[in-house]
Amino acid sequence: MLESNIPSGPLDNKWNDYKGHIKLVNPANKRSLEVIVVGTGLAGASAAASLGELGYKVKAFCFHDSPRRAHSIAAQGGINAAKNYQNDGDSVFRLFYDTVKGGDYRAREANVHRLAEVSVNIIDQCVAQGVPFAREYGGLLSNRSFGGTQVQRTFYAAGQTGQQLLIGAYQSLERQVALGNVKMYTRHEMLDVVLVDGKARGIICRNIITGKLERFFGHAVLICTGGYGNVFYLSTNAMGCNVTAAWKAHKKGAFFGNPCFTQIHPTCIPVSGDHQSKLTLMSESLRNDGRIWVPKQKGDNRRPVDIPEEERDYYLERRYPAFGNLVPRDVASRAAKERCDAGYGVGNSKMAVYLDYKAAIERYGRGEANKQGRDGVGDEEILRMGREVVKEKYGNLFDMYEKITGENPYETPMRIYPAVHYTMGGLWVDYELMTTIKGLYSLGEANFSDHGANRLGASALMQGLADGYFVIPYTIGNYLADEIRVKPIPITHPAFEEAEKAVQARYEKMMSIKGSQSVESFHKKLGKIMWDKCGMSRNEAGLKEAITEIQELKKQFWSDVRIPGGIDETNSELDKANRVADFIELGELMCIDALNRKESCGGHFREEMQTEDGEAKRDDENFSYVSAWEFKGDSNWELHKEELKFEIAKPSQRSYK
C-alpha cells in the first residue's frame, strides 16, 4: 500500500501539529540548498517566491517568455476562502465538507482540511500584495456564489481573478529575482528528471530559442506545470498547456494518480466547427446570477427572446431545487448533455443550452431604482440600470462573448455547452506533496491531491496558492533538513549524461521519421478518440475500443509523423511533437484507469453505473481508493491503491435536490 504520511491525531489539528514537529533548516543552511521549480503559474510562482524569501537558492523555469503568460492568468471567476464575510454560515469545516462532497468522496480528507484551513490566509496574503478584489460599499471584500455550495465564499476581481492573482505572485517572484534569491529561466522546457541514488537531483531542459539541451542541479525539484486537459485537443486550456514535465517524472518512477478524473466545465462557448483549436470558457461565476434553460418543445427554432416563460424548461432548477443553477460542474454538465441528447438543444448545432441574464438584469435594475428612491421607473430604464450593474460585475466576460459570437448577451441569452477544463488527476503525492520519487514534489493542478473526482469552482486558484505559499515552505524543509551535507552534484555526473543522451536520442528518432502526417493531425485524432470514448460519459466497450485505437495511433505517429526544421534551433513543431507523443501515452493510461474504475463518481461517469434518475452511482465498497499507476514499460502500468478513509465526511449518496 502507498504511504501517504498523513499525521496522526484529530483532523482539525493535523496541520498545526505537523508544523510543530517537523525538521527545520536554519537560515545559513538554506543559502546552500538549491531548489528547482518547474512552471511559474500560481503554484510555481508562489512557491519560488516563498522559497526565495526563506533563503533557498531557487531556479525557476517556464517555457513562456515571461511567467506572466502562465495559463493561471486565464482563470476568471474567483478564489474560495472560508472567511464567512457574508455571515451566512460558512466555516473552515463547511468548505472542507463541500470540497469532499463535491469531489464525490474521492479526495484525501487530511489534504482537503488543510486546504480549507489555509484558505483564509491566502486572501490576506493577496490583499497585502495589492490584488484588487471587488469590495462592497462599506469596504469589505465582496463574495459571490459558485457551484456546489449554499454560501457565498468566492472572492473575485471582476472576471479577471486569475490575472490579478498571477500578477501578485509574479511581483513577489520578481522581487526575489531582483534580490538574487531566484534565478529565472524563461523559454526553457523540462524534458527529464535526473535521479541520483533514487533522489531527484536535477532536470534536463531544452532551450526553446537555441534548441540546445541544458542540465541543472537541484537538491529538490518541484513540478508546478498545470493540468493535462489538452489531451482532448479541444479544451479551455491554452494551446501550449501540456503534460510533458509530469509525464517525464512519471516515466522515471513517479506514480500517476487518478488519471481518468477529468473535469468538464458546463459554461463554455459551444464548438463552432472543425477549424477550432481551442474552446473559450465563460466563467462559472455567470451561473451565480444567470438562469440555464432549454425550450420545452423539441427542435424549437424560435429566437430565445420569442419563447415565452411558460415554454421554457429551467431544468437545473427543476431537477435540483436546493442548489438550482449552482449544482457542481459535473452535475450541471451531464444535465446539459442529457437535454441536448434528448433533442432540446439550441443553436445551429443543437448542442447548446441558454444562459439567461434577463431576470438578473431586471432584479439589479429594480434594486438600483430603490436605492435612488425612484418610484414608477419604466421598464427600459430598469433594464438600463440593471445592465450597468451586470457590466460592473461581469462586463469583460460579456464583452468576450460578444466578440466571439457576434451576439449581445445583455439582450439575448448566451449559448453554452460543456467542455474539458480541469484535470483532477495528476502526479500522486503524499501529505507533504512529495511524489513517489524522493525529493520530487508536485504542486497545484499537476498533482492529484485535493479535489477527488470533481473540483468545485474557484478552488483551483485556492489550491495552487495554498500549495505554493503555505504548504511547500514547511514540507520541503522536512526533507531538506537531511540534505544539508549534500554538496551540489556536478552536471557532468553520469546521471546527467545519461538523461541528456536519452532526450537527444528521442528527438533524433522523431526527426528521422520524415513521414507524411502533421503533428496537429495526430493531436486531433487523439482528441476525438478521447472525447467520444473517455469524455463526458464512458462505457466498457468504448474504452476498450479507445485503448486499441490509441495504441494504433501511437504506431502511426512513430512511423509517419512529419516534423519540419531541425533539432538545434527554434522549432515549435518539434516541441509540439514531443508533447503530443506524451499525450498519446497519457490518453491510453486515462482509458485504462477509466476502464478499471467500474463506478460513476464526479467527472467519471460510467454509463453502466448510474441511478434510476441518471445520477452517478458510486461503489464505495470496491473503489474508495486513489488509483496510483506505476509505469512499467510501453503500454504497461501497474496499479497501486491508496485506501481513502473518511473519519469526518462520511460518504453518502451525493444529492443536490
Side-chain angles (χ1 to χ4, degrees):
M1 294 294 290
L2 287 167
E3 182 51 65
S4 54
N5 293 317
I6 298 172
S8 59
L11 185 65
D12 57 0
N13 197 43
K14 288 182 187 294
W15 180 232
N16 280 333
D17 190 58
Y18 170 88
K19 290 188 293 182
H21 292 87
I22 56 171
K23 300 171 188 173
L24 299 177
V25 181
N26 80 46
N29 285 334
K30 285 173 183 167
R31 290 193 289 272
S32 64
L33 291 169
E34 302 181 36
V35 180
I36 288 173
V37 178
V38 184
T40 51
L42 282 182
S46 59
S50 299
L51 296 176
E53 184 78 35
L54 286 172
Y56 294 106
K57 294 169 67 175
V58 180
K59 301 168 187 171
F61 297 82
C62 71
F63 63 65
H64 298 296
D65 52 7
S66 165
R68 287 184 60 177
R69 292 178 62 84
H71 189 57
S72 299
I73 208 167
Q76 299 165 339
I79 176 171
N80 288 330
K83 285 282 197 182
N84 195 32
Y85 278 175
Q86 304 299 317
N87 200 28
D88 57 0
D90 200 12
S91 64
V92 166
F93 177 82
R94 195 170 292 276
L95 174 53
F96 153 74
Y97 184 81
D98 285 346
T99 304
V100 173
K101 177 184 175 183
D104 221 352
Y105 304 95
R106 291 294 175 263
R108 189 189 289 152
E109 267 193 341
N111 286 64
V112 177
H113 198 279
R114 176 176 64 188
L115 178 64
E117 287 178 64
V118 304
S119 69
V120 296
N121 300 329
I122 295 170
I123 304 303
D124 297 339
Q125 170 90 359
C126 294
V127 169
Q129 290 173 340
V131 174
F133 287 120
R135 293 181 181 268
E136 303 288 1
Y137 179 76
L140 276 179
L141 298 183
S142 182
N143 295 112
R144 55 190 178 200
S145 298
F146 259 58
T149 70
Q150 292 178 303
V151 297
Q152 294 185 84
R153 66 163 66 102
T154 303
F155 295 78
Y156 63 98
Q160 307 171 359
T161 313
Q163 179 178 352
Q164 299 302 329
L165 290 173
L166 185 62
I167 289 172
Y170 168 74
Q171 289 174 157
S172 298
L173 172 61
E174 287 302 306
R175 177 174 179 271
Q176 295 305 315
V177 171
L179 290 171
N181 298 328
V182 177
K183 171 70 174 173
M184 188 71 228
Y185 294 88
T186 59
R187 306 297 282 163
H188 280 70
E189 182 168 20
M190 178 194 132
L191 297 176
D192 207 353
V193 180
V194 178
L195 304 185
V196 178
D197 297 328
K199 294 182 178 181
R201 293 301 193 195
I203 60 173
I204 305 297
C205 285
R206 183 172 191 263
N207 184 320
I208 293 176
I209 300 298
T210 66
K212 301 295 185 185
L213 297 180
E214 300 176 10
R215 310 170 187 179
F216 300 91
F217 164 78
H219 287 89
V221 177
L222 278 57
I223 305 292
C224 313
T225 49
Y228 49 87
N230 278 350
V231 69
F232 291 89
Y233 185 72
L234 285 180
S235 81
T236 65
N237 292 184
M239 290 175 63
C241 293
N242 62 82
V243 76
T244 288
W247 196 249
K248 302 308 185 190
H250 170 57
K251 295 184 79 169
K252 272 295 179 72
F255 292 4
F256 212 98
N258 294 335
C260 78
F261 285 168
T262 307
Q263 176 159 86
I264 312 294
H265 198 294
T267 317
C268 181
I269 297 178
V271 176
S272 61
D274 292 338
H275 61 283
Q276 280 184 273
S277 54
K278 81 174 298 293
L279 297 173
T280 303
L281 175 70
M282 301 308 298
S283 168
E284 180 170 314
S285 62
L286 294 175
R287 287 202 282 147
N288 188 63
D289 282 314
R291 299 180 72 193
I292 295 172
W293 62 277
V294 292
K296 289 183 177 179
Q297 179 182 325
K298 289 185 180 182
D300 194 330
N301 292 319
R302 288 177 291 176
R303 296 188 310 157
V305 294
D306 294 333
I307 300 176
E309 194 72 16
E310 63 271 14
E311 295 181 34
R312 300 180 177 188
D313 177 16
Y314 294 94
Y315 58 89
L316 290 178
E317 298 171 34
R318 168 174 57 81
R319 290 178 60 177
Y320 309 102
F323 282 72
N325 295 297
L326 289 174
V327 293
R329 291 176 174 177
D330 61 315
V331 177
S333 295
R334 281 197 296 275
K337 181 178 186 296
E338 185 275 328
R339 287 290 82 191
C340 291
D341 289 349
Y344 296 94
V346 301
N348 293 333
S349 68
K350 300 300 181 185
M351 295 302 285
V353 299
Y354 288 127
L355 176 62
D356 198 332
Y357 255 72
K358 184 180 180 183
I361 289 171
E362 291 177 351
R363 183 177 71 253
Y364 284 127
R366 291 193 193 95
E368 287 297 297
N370 290 336
K371 282 196 311 191
Q372 298 171 21
R374 298 169 61 184
D375 295 325
V377 179
D379 291 345
E380 281 301 314
E381 182 64 6
I382 289 288
L383 292 176
R384 186 195 68 77
M385 289 191 292
R387 285 172 187 150
E388 287 302 310
V389 176
V390 169
K391 185 174 184 179
E392 185 176 336
K393 283 177 169 281
Y394 309 106
N396 66 309
L397 300 173
F398 278 56
D399 292 345
M400 183 167 65
Y401 182 87
E402 185 169 11
K403 284 181 180 179
I404 292 171
T405 66
E407 298 174 358
N408 183 346
Y410 293 101
E411 297 175 357
T412 187
M414 297 182 189
R415 284 175 288 108
I416 58 170
Y417 192 72
V420 171
H421 179 54
Y422 186 92
T423 50
M424 285 74 66
L427 293 178
W428 182 91
V429 293
D430 65 10
Y431 188 74
E432 296 186 321
L433 305 184
M434 190 188 289
T435 69
T436 47
I437 296 175
K438 291 291 183 184
L440 180 69
Y441 295 80
S442 184
L443 281 64
E445 192 180 353
N447 73 31
F448 87 97
S449 69
D450 291 3
H451 307 295
N454 173 65
R455 177 176 67 78
L456 293 184
S459 286
L461 304 182
M462 176 175 64
Q463 187 209 344
L465 292 180
D467 287 355
Y469 283 137
F470 298 109
V471 178
I472 199 66
Y474 290 97
T475 63
I476 199 171
N478 198 39
Y479 170 74
L480 291 177
D482 294 329
E483 301 296 314
I484 57 176
R485 291 184 178 85
V486 176
K487 302 298 182 186
I489 296 171
I491 57 174
T492 53
H493 187 282
F496 282 91
E497 297 271 1
E498 184 181 338
E500 183 180 320
K501 283 180 181 178
V503 173
Q504 183 70 20
R506 177 180 168 91
Y507 272 142
E508 289 174 355
K509 182 179 179 182
M510 279 186 181
M511 294 301 295
S512 69
I513 297 170
K514 302 188 185 306
S516 61
Q517 299 185 57
S518 69
V519 175
E520 189 82 352
S521 68
F522 282 104
H523 197 178
K524 278 188 175 183
K525 290 173 185 174
L526 174 66
K528 181 168 175 53
I529 295 169
M530 294 300 296
W531 179 249
D532 289 347
K533 295 173 181 178
C534 194
M536 286 183 69
S537 62
R538 301 102 186 255
N539 60 59
E540 182 174 352
L543 288 167
K544 287 180 176 178
E545 290 172 4
I547 292 168
T548 301
E549 290 171 12
I550 292 170
Q551 290 173 346
E552 180 57 34
L553 187 69
K554 182 179 179 180
K555 291 177 184 176
Q556 291 179 22
F557 178 92
W558 286 100
S559 62
D560 198 30
V561 70
R562 182 183 73 249
I563 306 172
I567 295 178
D568 297 328
E569 62 186 27
T570 302
N571 190 340
S572 59
E573 200 69 7
L574 178 58
D575 297 331
K576 185 164 65 175
N578 186 53
R579 297 167 191 165
V580 170
D582 292 334
F583 274 140
I584 291 172
E585 294 181 357
L586 168 67
E588 183 179 356
L589 178 59
M590 289 173 69
C591 293
I592 291 171
D593 188 41
L595 183 63
N596 174 77
R597 189 170 284 275
K598 296 177 181 177
E599 65 164 352
S600 291
C601 57
H604 168 65
F605 190 74
R606 283 287 294 268
E607 294 170 3
E608 306 95 327
M609 290 82 184
Q610 55 182 298
T611 63
E612 291 180 1
D613 51 357
E615 302 295 341
K617 187 176 182 180
R618 289 196 326 270
D619 181 354
D620 293 328
E621 185 176 344
N622 295 304
F623 292 96
S624 189
Y625 62 76
V626 176
S627 58
W629 295 89
E630 180 183 6
F631 180 74
K632 288 290 191 178
D634 191 27
S635 294
N636 184 16
W637 288 270
E638 180 181 344
L639 174 62
H640 301 263
K641 300 176 182 179
E642 179 200 341
E643 183 183 354
L644 292 171
K645 298 177 182 178
F646 296 94
E647 300 172 12
I648 306 297
K650 300 294 184 183
S652 61
Q653 182 60 42
R654 202 168 52 139
S655 174
Y656 294 94
K657 297 181 178 181

